[in-house]
Amino acid sequence: MGERLVVVGGGMAAVRLVEGLVGSPWHVTVLSEEDHPPYNRILLSAVLEGAHAPDALTLRSQEWFDEHGVDLRLGTRVEEVDRTAHEVVLVGGARVPYDRLVLATGAIPTLPPIRGLVRPDGTLHPSVHPFRSLADCRRLDAAVAAGRRAVVVGGGLLGLQVARALAVRGVDTEVVEGAEHLLASQVDPAGGEILARDLRRLGTEVYAGARAVRLHPRETGGAGLRLDNGHVLETDLVVLTAGGRPSTALARRAGLMVRRGVVVDSTLASVTDARIHAIGDCASHRGRVTGFVPPAWEQAGVLAAVLRGEEASYDGSRSVARLRATGLDVAVLGEPTRATGQVVEMSNPVTGSHRRLVVDGGRIVAAALVGDLSRVGLITQLYDRGTILGNAEPGALLAPERVDLDPAAVVLPDEAEVCACAGVTAGAVRACASYDDCRERTRATTGCGGCVSVVRSLLTASA
Amino acid sequence: MTAASTSTTTTHCPYCSLQCGMRLTGQRLPTVSAWEEFPVNQGALCRKGWTAAGLYGGRERLTSPLVRDRRTGEWTAVGWDEALDLVASRLREIQAARGKDAVAVFGGGGLTNEKAYSLGKFARVALGTSQIDYNGRWCMSSAASAGIRAFGVDRGLPFPLADVEETEVLVLVGSNLAETMPPAARHLDALRQRGGRVVVIDPRRTATALRADLVVQPVPGTDLALALGVLHLLVAAGAVDEDYLAARTTGWAQVRESVAAWWPERVERVTGVPAEEVRALAGLLGAPKVMVLTARGAEQHSTGTDTVLAWINVTLALGMVGVRGAGYGCLTGQGNGQGGREHGQKADQLPGYRRIDDPAARAHVAGVWGIDPDSLPGPGRSAYEMLDALGTPEGSSALLVLGSNIVVSAPRSTHVTERLEALDLLVVCDLVMSETAAIADVVLPVTQWAEETGTMTNLEGRVVLRQQAVRAPAGVRSDLEVIAALAERLGSPVEFATDPEEVFAELGRASSGGSADYSEITYDRIRDEGGVFWGGERLFAETFAHPDGRARMVAVEHRGAAEQPCADYPVHLTTGRVLAQYQSGAQTRRVRELPDSGAFVEVHPMLAARLGLVDGEPARVTTRRGSMAAPARVVDSIRADTVFVPFHWVGANRLTHDALDPSSRMPEFKVCAARVTAAGGGHG
């Protein structure tokens, strides 16, 4: 060992991999296109909202990489992978040799087919903001001001998070979603409808089943976004959150097998070249590209173990997607719109909740929880651990939790224990002549003191 | 000192670390009454305290040394000289054949400071063995090791307990103090009356949780991740005290970075606590004064030290440590949990909380003891590791036990009991025929609480005096007398004092200059001042005990429990206490006025329905290490993926896991994977 490991990409998967290799003999080089050391990308909408300090995003600082002997090169773009020479070629021609190469290139935002989005010179219209990187976030943040208008193109998890963040910032926000309802790949129409209603209640208009087709620049600096249903939304900002695609250009040019992502086996190695691995959003394992952080971290953990020479293999991930948006409650476990099994559903449009569990062989194999996350902690545990439930349990999980009665309103039977410290029943208290008599004879109230008011009221009532 | 038959003596409760003051009157049937002037409990007692005299003079009290015939199992009462001669000669034989470390000593966190000190000295000087540890290793050792790393010193509470009433937000992590030390719960009520808030973090909604404004019920073994999530949100919100961090701590940059990856939804997935609750908790901590107290629920894990460090980091980041009415503390468990860990019955320690591998410490203590420092053994094995090795070629083959009921209280207890049975000699000093005494070769009957004088150091680091109030039954001796008599028979180079006050004065000299320095404390001062705090009433206002005067922040990561649920063992098992019993129950189960309800299996209605369990009907709990049956108690106050069993009865610890914390060597009492079934009739 003591060989050279080169990681292309400085995102969340890459940093987790490097953490897993601390103390191993690998000489690690990380080549990151971004100018900022690895940061927590999924908190960008919280930064936009103002709920998360931007300087608290950094996962590992430059000093950390230095201390651990990792060569982190920021602002470094890789042009080619030379699989024959075992080198990566940087823009500008410099070459970095590797014994093993890890592609952690992530995903790049998709530009929706909207005419006018890209200007003739190839740059984006100044009102248009992709939302993927810290740089995107900073640029949008600088453009945000209360009273301005924004249209978020894309009603998926990211789109809703950004829409809520902008609305919280006082921006007059609208959402355009091409599918028939919001979060179409995660929740069913009823769930999407509840979300749309919640958003409208929070002041954000939703246009579902509508595609943005054209951007008209306005003399005033804003733009008009024309939808395929004929509406034109006048706006100052257009935020693109309509998904991304795995960044695989480098792998394709290097001749690696690529489907949607770089095709990898259970050791996260390319099926074409065992010296090259891929993890995170750019990797395709058993036909799946995940797009979420937890599976990317699981892959990074497995790959770190593999590179340390341990037995480890990646067997796919259970995904839990959580909407992080103030005022909207959504959790999606697995793929509730596709998973097969028995569906247990509880919908209450009056209170705005819609929850669906997909149960197979007693196990929760998928779930969508909208508007009521009171049991999300337990349901997630049962899903993650593959717990086999009893027949009544899925229904019970969706039933309302018991409401405690006001103890003061309950008439205590004589045998009810009112003082746990001294083990005194209501009957024993009632038999006493006075509070002091009760303290002396039963020792009630002389321990933790929690029963003082109950004892007093029992004595008053029996007096 | 013998009290007249009608006189009243102030003393302290025989049980938990609160060490409530009480008065005892009478000799044959002593009665307990309130001692209102004692500041810690101001006259309040729980039913364990009120009935504490119930053990005095009971029929089950041992009053004669007993020797067991291994062949027939028969016990024979013998005289003290015969018993002590037998023990001493067997110990000498065993050490002659297998070396000094062939004899091990196991102490307890309920022993007085004087006994703990004498026992440590006895092991190192009279026996010359390195093999000594105690059951406190299984109590607050994780908080101790975290406190030493973070603050440079370990004092459970670095302030009086009553300071709780002065905070704004109190966070109890894994403490059920309303049941385990009920008089302490009065402070929660006083705090809330003032407008303060209480947060309880526990997989069960306990009696303590009934007094809380926010109850958070994490999966057992995930308190660490919760702390990381809380600190993440505090950083995100800019709620940390950068000035304090810069002036009074080191390591903040690493800690800050380490929590960037713990956003609330990730915490939710790991802990089973909804992200909104994590946010609500962090939101409360923006208050001007925040106090976090951990107890066994957070600490008795293979990740216990790191869990405590994570919560300490929260309080340091908020700038709370050293501020009056705020900061971090550990609610110690056993009566003398604090003092018991300060005076040398720990495997790696000498009196005054000194390290046994520190040459200066060895020289000082050897000087007080009048021996050559080089004759002192080095560090020995931790409690579980010592027991695990008993009767093996590497381990000891004789064990002397004081103040502990290992058969009930050790983790993975079936295995540990097998190790005890593999010994050549087991000697137990106890007041009753405990489960451990019952498998001993020799049992020596000793005095209890009110029959002897000695000091205890309560959870606040307050040294209190338990005065003798009644005469001991004829035939019993104090542990100090047993130690001295054995030392003499073993040819100890120095004598052992048997008068507690004399031992305490020697302890003071031995601890002088150590981090727990008792040299200025005397019995008279304790009597006059309502107890004396070692190190001062409040610590950390100006400085921490590290050489640079700063607190050390240590970046820690969530690892999770050593054993996770699986298809065969699908639920989490956690253990704990009930109000009417104490520890292994050797004392409380013999007090007639305390209800001995027996063990039970607490289970949520959803889980009960899945498993076909009925309230009150027997349930069987099985882990990879053992099995027990007890009636199911169906309550909706517990997580639906977790069951709870109290540990006062033989059974719970057959189930528990022996994974150890790498730093404190604390076993993982508080979580393992279990299978629960309806036991039906005849299998219980």
Side-chain angles (χ1 to χ4, degrees):
Chain A
M1 295 259 261
E3 295 176 297
R4 296 157 302 187
L5 180 76
V6 173
V7 183
V8 183
M12 296 182 74
V15 71
R16 181 48 59 107
L17 172 68
V18 175
E19 286 171 353
L21 292 174
V22 164
S24 78
W26 288 97
H27 296 293
V28 182
T29 301
V30 178
L31 307 171
S32 174
E33 276 185 32
E34 295 191 56
D35 293 327
H36 195 281
Y39 57 88
N40 194 332
R41 196 183 303 280
I42 76 155
L43 298 176
L44 289 176
S45 60
V47 170
L48 181 65
E49 181 174 322
H52 196 102
D55 63 350
L57 280 186
T58 307
L59 289 166
R60 293 295 177 191
S61 62
Q62 182 73 55
E63 294 76 46
W64 184 90
F65 286 93
D66 296 345
E67 273 169 33
H68 292 87
V70 176
D71 183 7
L72 171 66
R73 302 192 203 169
L74 298 176
T76 305
R77 198 178 159 84
V78 176
E79 187 79 54
E80 297 293 344
V81 175
D82 182 341
R83 286 172 49 204
T84 315
H86 308 312
E87 290 173 337
V88 296
V89 185
L90 306 183
V91 170
R95 288 177 162 258
V96 182
Y98 67 82
D99 296 298
R100 292 286 187 100
L101 179 68
V102 179
L103 300 175
T105 47
I108 42 181
T110 325
L111 287 188
I114 302 171
R115 285 166 66 200
L117 210 60
V118 180
R119 294 187 294 191
D121 66 358
T123 60
L124 287 176
H125 183 279
S127 300
V128 175
H129 291 260
F131 196 83
R132 170 83 191 169
S133 66
L134 181 56
D136 295 337
C137 180
R138 283 179 172 150
R139 187 169 153 260
L140 178 58
D141 182 68
V144 161
R148 299 196 79 180
R149 298 158 304 173
V151 175
V152 175
V153 179
L157 289 165
L158 181 62
L160 297 189
Q161 287 176 192
V162 171
R164 283 300 297 144
L166 289 169
V168 168
R169 290 279 296 275
V171 176
D172 189 0
T173 306
E174 297 173 303
V175 175
V176 178
E177 167 56 48
E180 291 304 316
H181 62 273
L182 296 173
L183 290 191
S185 50
Q186 280 98 9
V187 308
D188 60 12
E193 188 42 52
I194 282 175
L195 278 171
R197 213 180 62 180
D198 283 346
L199 270 175
R200 289 188 184 111
R201 182 172 47 77
L202 292 163
T204 295
E205 188 50 63
V206 175
Y207 304 89
R211 277 170 213 291
V213 291
R214 179 159 197 146
L215 189 69
H216 300 283
R218 297 289 189 238
E219 302 275 310
T220 52
L225 186 66
R226 179 193 290 275
L227 309 186
D228 62 356
N229 61 12
H231 270 81
V232 176
L233 309 177
E234 294 298 329
T235 186
D236 302 303
L237 302 167
V238 176
V239 187
L240 305 178
T241 63
R245 57 189 166 78
S247 171
T248 55
L250 205 56
R252 275 181 206 281
R253 286 203 300 277
L256 302 180
M257 184 192 267
V258 175
R259 295 272 186 255
R260 267 199 76 209
V262 182
V263 180
V264 293
D265 62 18
S266 64
T267 63
L268 287 320
S270 159
V271 294
T272 314
D273 185 339
R275 283 172 177 264
I276 302 181
H277 298 267
I279 55 172
D281 292 359
C282 71
S284 170
H285 176 261
R286 287 193 201 150
R288 278 171 194 262
V289 175
T290 68
F292 292 110
V293 172
W297 278 0
E298 283 178 43
Q299 292 172 358
V302 170
L303 179 55
V306 167
L307 291 171
R308 287 194 310 259
E310 295 163 16
E311 278 298 314
S313 73
Y314 179 71
D315 193 31
S317 298
R318 289 175 182 272
S319 81
V320 174
R322 286 283 271 109
L323 184 64
R324 300 171 38 81
T326 307
L328 298 180
D329 294 323
V330 180
V332 180
L333 287 61
E335 299 180 15
T337 54
R338 288 191 219 158
T340 54
Q342 295 159 306
V343 173
V344 181
E345 213 167 46
M346 172 77 161
S347 202
N348 185 343
V350 180
T351 56
S353 74
H354 180 73
R355 293 172 298 160
R356 156 193 285 242
L357 303 180
V358 185
V359 181
D360 191 20
R363 292 187 172 90
I364 298 172
V365 294
L369 310 175
V370 177
D372 179 352
L373 297 182
S374 54
R375 285 257 174 74
V376 66
L378 179 59
I379 291 170
T380 305
Q381 289 286 318
L382 297 171
Y383 164 75
D384 271 340
R385 297 182 185 278
T387 309
I388 298 175
L389 305 179
N391 285 341
E393 238 170 320
L397 283 168
L398 299 184
E401 292 189 62
R402 192 177 65 90
V403 180
D404 284 317
L405 295 171
D406 177 5
V410 179
V411 178
L412 291 168
D414 273 355
E415 60 274 18
E417 187 178 80
V418 296
C419 173
C421 292
V424 183
T425 62
V429 173
R430 288 187 179 113
C432 295
S434 68
Y435 184 71
D436 287 341
D437 179 45
C438 182
R439 283 173 64 90
E440 188 60 33
R441 283 170 51 189
T442 70
R443 301 290 190 196
T445 75
T446 61
C448 74
C451 61
V452 170
S453 60
V454 179
V455 168
R456 283 196 189 280
S457 69
L458 283 172
L459 289 166
T460 313
S462 63
Chain B
M1 155 176 135
T2 310
S5 62
T6 52
S7 74
T8 291
T9 308
T10 57
T11 188
H12 295 271
C13 177
Y15 304 116
C16 82
S17 67
L18 212 50
Q19 285 299 293
C20 291
M22 56 168 61
R23 287 192 160 89
L24 265 188
T25 308
Q27 279 293 327
R28 285 177 53 85
L29 293 167
T31 57
V32 173
S33 59
W35 176 16
E36 268 144 18
E37 297 77 19
F38 183 69
V40 176
N41 59 310
Q42 297 176 328
L45 292 172
C46 74
R47 68 168 107 167
K48 292 193 294 289
W50 288 119
T51 61
L55 193 56
Y56 179 72
R59 289 174 50 169
E60 292 189 64
R61 199 54 202 283
L62 300 177
T63 53
S64 168
L66 297 168
V67 177
R68 188 170 63 108
D69 183 324
R70 283 205 171 190
R71 215 167 27 83
T72 63
E74 206 172 317
W75 290 99
T76 309
V78 299
W80 271 99
D81 281 338
E82 187 183 341
L84 293 166
D85 288 345
L86 172 68
V87 170
S89 68
R90 297 279 287 127
L91 292 176
R92 293 179 96 155
E93 278 167 32
I94 288 166
Q95 287 194 315
R98 299 197 51 236
K100 299 282 192 196
D101 282 358
V103 174
V105 177
F106 199 90
L111 298 176
T112 62
N113 290 316
E114 292 80 357
K115 294 180 188 181
Y117 166 80
S118 272
L119 190 63
K121 177 178 169 184
F122 173 77
R124 274 66 176 245
V125 178
L127 288 170
T129 180
S130 69
Q131 300 298 302
I132 174 169
D133 214 55
Y134 79 126
N135 65 18
R137 182 72 72 176
W138 302 336
C139 191
M140 50 275 140
S141 63
S142 290
S145 90
I148 290 169
R149 280 178 79 183
F151 307 130
V153 66
D154 157 38
R155 201 180 86 183
L157 293 180
F159 40 71
L161 183 63
D163 279 14
V164 162
E165 297 180 14
E166 297 179 24
T167 196
E168 303 283 333
V169 176
L170 173 69
V171 183
L172 295 168
V173 193
S175 166
N176 182 12
L177 58 77
E179 285 193 80
T180 58
M181 46 176 72
R186 291 170 170 263
H187 296 301
L188 308 191
D189 296 336
L191 169 64
R192 296 181 76 202
Q193 230 147 34
R194 275 191 48 251
R197 312 277 193 90
V198 175
V199 179
V200 169
I201 299 171
D202 194 313
R204 302 161 64 217
R205 204 169 62 236
T206 59
T208 310
L210 296 178
R211 290 172 144 97
D213 299 277
L214 176 64
V215 181
V216 176
Q217 292 185 261
V219 170
T222 64
D223 294 324
L224 200 173
L226 186 62
L228 298 176
V230 165
L231 189 49
H232 170 98
L233 286 169
L234 294 173
V235 173
V240 300
D241 186 342
E242 296 286 355
D243 293 341
Y244 177 97
L245 287 161
R248 301 210 52 192
T249 70
T250 59
W252 168 234
Q254 290 80 355
V255 170
R256 184 178 200 271
E257 216 165 276
S258 73
V259 298
W262 285 96
W263 63 95
E265 289 76 14
R266 182 176 176 215
V267 175
E268 169 185 290
R269 193 166 177 191
V270 171
T271 62
V273 174
E276 274 320 297
E277 281 182 24
V278 183
R279 290 196 174 89
L281 171 55
L284 281 177
L285 301 192
K289 282 190 180 185
V290 173
M291 184 183 284
V292 176
L293 303 179
T294 64
R296 304 304 82 69
E299 300 160 12
Q300 287 179 322
H301 293 277
S302 62
T303 58
T305 303
D306 285 356
T307 300
V308 174
L309 285 169
W311 285 102
I312 288 176
N313 285 342
V314 169
T315 56
L316 286 170
L318 290 168
M320 295 294 164
V321 183
V323 173
R324 184 167 169 156
Y328 166 79
C330 153
L331 293 163
T332 295
Q334 294 193 82
N336 197 26
Q338 181 71 44
R341 64 186 190 258
E342 295 169 348
H343 299 298
Q345 60 174 332
K346 235 173 152 175
D348 50 0
Q349 259 185 29
L350 290 173
Y353 227 128
R354 290 183 157 91
R355 294 184 58 93
I356 201 167
D357 55 5
D358 169 9
R362 293 168 68 89
H364 171 83
V365 173
V368 174
W369 289 350
I371 57 163
D372 175 3
D374 292 337
S375 72
L376 283 172
R381 293 184 177 91
S382 78
Y384 182 78
E385 291 163 297
M386 178 208 284
L387 298 176
D388 186 37
L390 293 178
T392 68
E394 297 75 34
S396 305
S397 45
L399 180 70
L400 179 60
V401 180
L402 275 80
S404 188
N405 188 5
I406 297 168
V407 167
V408 181
S409 61
R412 199 185 163 196
S413 60
T414 308
H415 168 73
V416 167
T417 305
E418 280 169 18
R419 297 326 313 150
L420 293 173
E421 286 167 345
L423 287 165
D424 293 333
L425 178 68
L426 175 61
V427 181
V428 173
C429 298
D430 213 326
L431 12 149
V432 293
M433 189 56 89
S434 71
E435 288 78 359
T436 308
I439 60 167
D441 297 290
V442 181
V443 178
L444 302 174
V446 290
T447 47
Q448 65 164 325
W449 140 86
E451 301 158 6
E452 58 188 13
T453 292
T455 60
M456 306 284 279
T457 306
N458 82 348
L459 77 172
E460 310 162 288
R462 186 195 306 254
V463 184
V464 302
L465 185 61
R466 269 194 196 165
Q467 307 196 96
Q468 183 180 0
V470 295
R471 273 188 303 275
V476 308
R477 294 192 183 180
S478 76
D479 291 303
L480 290 177
E481 288 166 343
V482 172
I483 289 168
L486 281 178
E488 188 191 346
R489 283 168 171 78
L490 290 166
S492 166
V494 297
E495 277 188 40
F496 283 71
T498 57
D499 173 58
E501 193 160 6
E502 196 181 320
V503 175
F504 189 75
E506 184 186 313
L507 180 165
R509 293 194 297 279
S511 70
S512 176
S515 68
D517 185 338
Y518 282 43
S519 58
E520 302 291 313
I521 306 174
T522 62
Y523 279 20
D524 284 340
R525 269 193 70 197
I526 297 172
R527 286 192 194 95
D528 293 346
E529 299 172 28
V532 179
F533 294 88
W534 68 254
E537 193 170 21
R538 293 183 181 81
L539 308 182
F540 313 141
E542 305 289 331
T543 185
F544 294 98
H546 288 302
D548 61 3
R550 289 165 175 263
R552 289 188 189 149
M553 301 186 80
V554 183
V556 290
E557 260 306 317
H558 166 75
R559 303 194 297 280
E563 187 177 69
Q564 294 291 338
C566 61
D568 290 338
Y569 301 97
V571 302
H572 304 278
L573 167 70
T574 190
T575 64
R577 287 159 58 177
V578 300
L579 194 151
Q581 298 293 327
Y582 181 68
Q583 306 300 67
S584 79
Q587 293 151 282
T588 46
R589 279 188 277 123
R590 292 176 168 85
V591 174
R592 200 174 305 131
E593 299 95 318
L594 292 175
D596 180 2
S597 58
F600 53 87
V601 181
E602 199 174 281
V603 55
H604 190 277
M606 274 203 282
L607 186 56
R610 184 201 304 168
L611 303 173
L613 303 179
V614 177
D615 189 59
E617 298 292 320
R620 177 162 291 283
V621 185
T622 307
T623 69
R624 288 183 176 86
R625 294 155 296 280
S627 183
M628 69 167 283
R633 192 175 281 187
V634 180
V635 294
D636 67 358
S637 52
I638 188 167
R639 281 188 66 90
D641 52 10
T642 301
V643 296
F644 167 86
V645 178
F647 61 61
H648 308 289
W649 295 269
V650 170
N653 277 322
R654 289 184 188 151
L655 309 172
T656 49
H657 201 318
D658 56 356
L660 300 183
D661 182 289
S663 166
S664 66
R665 316 310 284 171
M666 167 74 84
E668 189 135 86
F669 285 105
K670 278 293 184 277
V671 59
C672 65
R675 176 171 66 237
V676 185
T677 52
H683 300 287

